């Protein structure tokens, strides 16, 4: 299994520094090991679960007329809450992917991962805000 191979490569006694600017607000470093890998995996995959749920909630709220996207700062409408949940979820997922890449950079180097993702996003017009 891929995850067990990755965990074997992470030595529990090692630490990694948080990427900038998170090193100023989260702490200086994080300890590697099984808990680190679980955190990054769950943190990245939580967006895969939350995004469809918020899309369904948006559809239901829109059908009932309580979404309120024309007046987004009303607390009695759902738009503000859905946007907040999506934004926090996206930020956590990106942070976890960045933290994972910080540790696994040398293992991913032969795959030329970053340039492939950049080119795919650039030529497919993928937006971060979708």
């Amino acid at each position: 299994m891929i995850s067990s191979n990755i965990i074997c490569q992470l030595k529990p006694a090692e630490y990694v520094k948080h990427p900038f600017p998170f090193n100023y607000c989260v702490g200086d470093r994080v300890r590697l090991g099984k808990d680190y890998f679980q955190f990054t995996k769950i943190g990245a995959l939580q967006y895969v679960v939350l995004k469809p749920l918020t899309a369904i909630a948006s559809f239901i709220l829109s059908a009932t007329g309580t979404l309120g996207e024309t007046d987004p700062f009303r607390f009695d409408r759902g738009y503000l809450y859905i946007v907040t949940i999506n934004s926090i979820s996206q930020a956590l997922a990106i942070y976890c992917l960045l933290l994972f890449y910080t540790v696994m950079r040398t293992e991913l180097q032969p795959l030329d991962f970053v340039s492939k993702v950049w080119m795919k996003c650039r030529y497919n017009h993928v937006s971060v805000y979708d």
Side-chain angles (χ1 to χ4, degrees), residues 30-47:
V30 64
R31 187 177 195 177
L32 300 181
K34 187 176 181 179
D35 293 335
Y36 160 81
F37 181 69
Q38 282 295 110
F39 170 73
T40 56
K41 185 165 82 171
I42 291 171
L45 291 178
Q46 55 81 29
Y47 179 70

Side-chain angles (χ1 to χ4, degrees), residues 56-83:
I56 291 169
S58 294
F59 180 73
I60 293 169
L61 291 172
S62 181
T64 60
T66 56
L67 183 59
E69 59 188 3
T70 57
D71 191 14
F73 295 109
R74 288 185 59 182
F75 292 107
D76 61 340
R77 303 289 182 190
Y79 185 77
L80 178 65
Y81 302 107
I82 288 175
V83 168

Side-chain angles (χ1 to χ4, degrees), residues 7-27:
I7 292 173
C8 289
Q9 291 178 1
L10 302 176
K11 297 179 181 108
E14 291 183 6
Y15 290 90
V16 65
K17 288 186 173 188
H18 285 280
F20 176 81
F22 302 106
N23 57 342
Y24 293 110
C25 57
V26 177

Side-chain angles (χ1 to χ4, degrees), residues 46-47 85-95 128-130:
Q46 55 81 29
Y47 179 70
I85 290 169
N86 277 337
S87 297
I88 292 170
S89 177
Q90 288 172 351
L92 179 63
I94 290 171
Y95 169 70
V128 177
Y129 302 107
D130 287 340

